[in-house]
Amino acid sequence: MAVLPAQVAPPAFALSSLRPHDLTGIEALALPFTVVDGKPVLGAGTAGVDTALGLDLAALLDSRRPTGKGGEVVSVPVGTGTGLRLVLLVGLGAGTATDHRRAGAAVARAAFDHESVATTVPAEGDAQALTAYVVGTMLGSFVFHWRSEGPERRPVRRVVLAGLSADDHAAALERGLALGGAGWRSRMLATVPSNLKSPQWLAEQAEQLAEEQGLACEVWDEVTLAERGFGGVIGVGQGSATPPRLIRLDYTPPGGRKAPRVVLVGKGITFDSGGLSIKPAEGMATMKRDMTGGAVVMAVMGALGTLGCGLRVTGLIPTAENAVGGSSLRPGDVVTHYGGRTSEVLNTDAEGRLVLADAMAYAVDRLDPAVLVDVATLTGAMKVALGQWVGGYFANRDGLAEVLADAAAAAGEPLWRLPLEPDYEDTLSSQVADANNSPGGPGAITAALFLQHFAGEVPWAHLDIASAGDAPAESFEWTKGPTGFGSRALLTWLTGSDPLAGIAD
Ligand code: MN
Ligand code: MN
């Protein structure tokens, strides 16, 4: 049985062409401002609010000396007979999509535990701005709890996007809900604790998602995986009380049975103890999120239909628990991957690449991918290199590298490219196998070089999100803890106008 823990819903959104102060039953109003030549200027939807509320908002704002950067909030408590309790004046920076996303997140944060907020912040932006605002509000609202007495704070229940007609803006709102929903889903899956989140549980979530979204879903158990030669997945999972799985999800666009296929592979380690090469306690505490890559793939698959994608997309999630037990992999063991390549396991904590290798080799052998992308919380080295707010990636085609970086920047999940430097290839050598799994530094690059052998000649990108997989603090749309980083970047790429443009070069 798929048992979801106590869940908190994201806010419900509605469009209204009314002016914000004409709406009834609203608890908070969020209005935009910018700073021009050092002077704050109230923006869309603010005309008439002063009179309606009996406040001099311009003077109030001026007295707080705001900078106007995207997501800055000046909070004005009010008492009126209408039930309105709070006015939020929200900085819009230069009015970019990023500013709108941050403004939305700031409003979400200020509106926790309120019933409703009406906002005109995105009213003068374009469709992209509205989408970004909705994404920011959803993800800034993220709450996960398993508390006996309810969550510490509840997302605002209702967000009214005022001054915007349903006819003109429904599509941008729907896009925001799908992108924000994907981020919410990947963050939620990554946050679920591992006493619930076994490989089987993750597979049940995928089956449920497939049913909701009209995707095909297949799950292979440990017997089938062993028969078919997935030695990496079997090896990593063999020490656990909960055996490994391979999850496959398929999206086919309407009329697109022969469309080119993108294969996404997500690392699904439901808990990483390090295995016999055990992690220190402080390094293990966040390891329930070591299936973030798999969660990202699931979230992407679940949103393709709503967002519209003309390509076939297959998601593969090799999922296993890297546990300590009498049957765990030992340092020095050799595993044989799908297709026959072998790895000497010098460090059982470098397990992610072992499960990804099988799935990538399978994709190249059987699925004829036009592009292969894997996403994984793979190396601590990536966190050292990039900190916790930027993901790293590698690509064997410049065209693919470019479209991914552009999509990631537009989505608010920035990715920085690192080199597949052939001079480090020697570090992979093993005395007994085709490669060793613990080639040492530079760790993010040598991990990518290990994986590259399983991509064949296929255009391939490897997203190492171990850097951005956990947020150390609340920041913009990120809430503290597992982030589910990557789903918006991949969706923005796959649902863009021409996702395969320039990739064959
Ligand atoms: Mn590990
Ligand atoms: Mn890991």
Side-chain angles (χ1 to χ4, degrees):
M1 274 295 286
V3 182
L4 268 174
Q7 272 307 299
V8 177
F13 290 78
L15 293 159
S16 170
S17 43
L18 289 176
R19 298 180 301 176
H21 49 288
D22 290 336
L23 290 158
T24 53
I26 294 291
E27 231 183 303
L29 274 188
L31 308 167
F33 74 90
T34 50
V35 170
V36 181
D37 297 332
K39 193 87 184 128
V41 180
L42 288 163
T46 47
V49 175
D50 289 58
T51 326
L53 301 180
L55 289 171
D56 186 346
L57 289 177
L60 264 168
L61 185 60
D62 212 19
S63 72
R64 304 281 185 95
R65 302 191 174 280
T67 65
K69 68 174 199 270
E72 182 179 18
V73 171
V74 171
S75 188
V76 185
V78 295
T80 68
T82 64
L84 185 71
R85 286 163 47 197
L86 185 63
V87 174
L88 302 166
L89 302 172
V90 185
L92 251 190
T96 63
T98 298
D99 290 321
H100 276 87
R101 193 180 311 108
R102 292 175 173 186
V107 171
R109 208 150 274 146
F112 270 118
D113 296 322
H114 287 70
E115 276 301 311
S116 54
V117 59
T119 182
T120 56
V121 173
E124 280 173 8
D126 57 10
Q128 254 188 320
L130 175 57
T131 296
Y133 184 85
V134 171
V135 168
T137 307
M138 276 188 89
L139 294 180
S141 298
F142 179 81
V143 168
F144 176 95
H145 84 100
W146 227 357
R147 296 176 193 281
S148 57
E149 294 180 353
E152 279 185 309
R153 54 187 192 180
R154 285 193 178 280
V156 62
R157 285 180 202 274
R158 190 159 66 96
V159 177
V160 180
L161 301 159
L164 293 169
S165 74
D167 285 353
D168 296 340
H169 302 282
L173 169 57
E174 192 182 17
R175 193 170 162 77
L177 293 175
L179 283 168
W184 185 288
R185 185 187 299 278
S186 55
R187 198 177 296 182
M188 185 272 286
L189 289 170
T191 308
V192 170
S194 298
N195 55 332
L196 177 61
K197 186 170 57 188
S198 63
Q200 187 186 334
W201 183 88
L202 202 62
E204 284 162 359
Q205 300 305 307
E207 282 165 349
Q208 208 172 304
L209 177 70
E211 202 167 297
E212 282 167 25
Q213 300 295 328
L215 304 168
C217 181
E218 201 174 343
V219 177
W220 292 352
D221 66 11
E222 71 276 22
V223 177
T224 306
L225 287 169
E227 278 169 14
R228 296 185 185 177
F230 284 64
V233 181
I234 290 293
V236 171
Q238 74 193 23
S240 172
T242 55
R245 296 283 183 267
L246 180 79
I247 302 166
R248 173 175 174 172
L249 290 164
D250 279 285
Y251 165 81
T252 307
R257 295 188 152 281
K258 294 194 172 148
R261 186 192 334 243
V262 170
V263 177
L264 305 175
V265 175
K267 171 180 171 182
I269 299 299
T270 56
F271 187 76
D272 186 9
S273 68
L276 291 181
S277 312
I278 196 164
K279 288 180 184 291
E282 58 280 8
M284 211 191 289
T286 58
M287 283 301 120
K288 67 177 183 179
R289 66 92 178 105
D290 210 24
M291 39 52 74
T292 296
V296 164
V297 170
M298 283 169 63
V300 167
M301 297 304 299
L304 289 169
T306 307
L307 287 168
C309 173
L311 303 169
R312 285 186 296 164
V313 183
T314 296
L316 295 178
I317 301 154
T319 174
E321 182 188 10
N322 190 20
V324 178
S327 55
S328 293
L329 274 180
R330 290 152 291 247
D333 283 2
V334 174
V335 297
T336 302
H337 295 285
Y338 181 92
R341 190 175 162 85
T342 57
S343 295
E344 183 184 11
V345 183
L346 293 181
N347 186 328
T348 64
D349 195 14
E351 83 298 338
R353 67 199 71 185
L354 300 175
V355 304
L356 293 169
D358 283 347
M360 286 172 58
Y362 175 78
V364 170
D365 182 39
R366 302 298 293 273
L367 301 178
D368 188 28
V371 179
L372 175 64
V373 176
D374 78 85
V375 50
T377 48
L378 206 65
T379 67
M382 196 57 98
K383 193 186 284 190
V384 175
L386 297 179
Q388 288 182 264
W389 303 111
V390 179
Y393 80 112
F394 301 79
N396 64 2
R397 301 286 195 287
D398 290 341
L400 176 58
E402 214 170 294
V403 292
L404 281 174
D406 290 350
E413 292 182 326
L415 288 171
W416 188 258
R417 189 180 183 190
L418 285 87
L420 290 161
E421 176 53 55
D423 284 352
Y424 294 124
E425 188 71 28
D426 291 348
T427 62
L428 293 175
S429 68
S430 160
Q431 291 200 326
V432 296
D434 295 326
N436 83 81
N437 81 326
S438 184
I445 295 174
T446 56
L449 292 174
F450 177 96
L451 290 175
Q452 185 170 227
H453 288 276
F454 299 90
E457 298 306 310
V458 172
W460 162 70
H462 159 56
L463 276 51
D464 185 344
I465 53 164
S467 52
D470 306 282
E474 285 199 343
S475 178
F476 306 122
E477 72 268 33
W478 304 109
T479 47
K480 190 177 175 184
T483 58
F485 184 99
S487 51
R488 288 182 278 146
L490 289 175
L491 278 168
T492 301
W493 166 50
L494 288 170
T495 66
S497 58
D498 189 0
L500 298 184
I503 286 176
D505 321 346

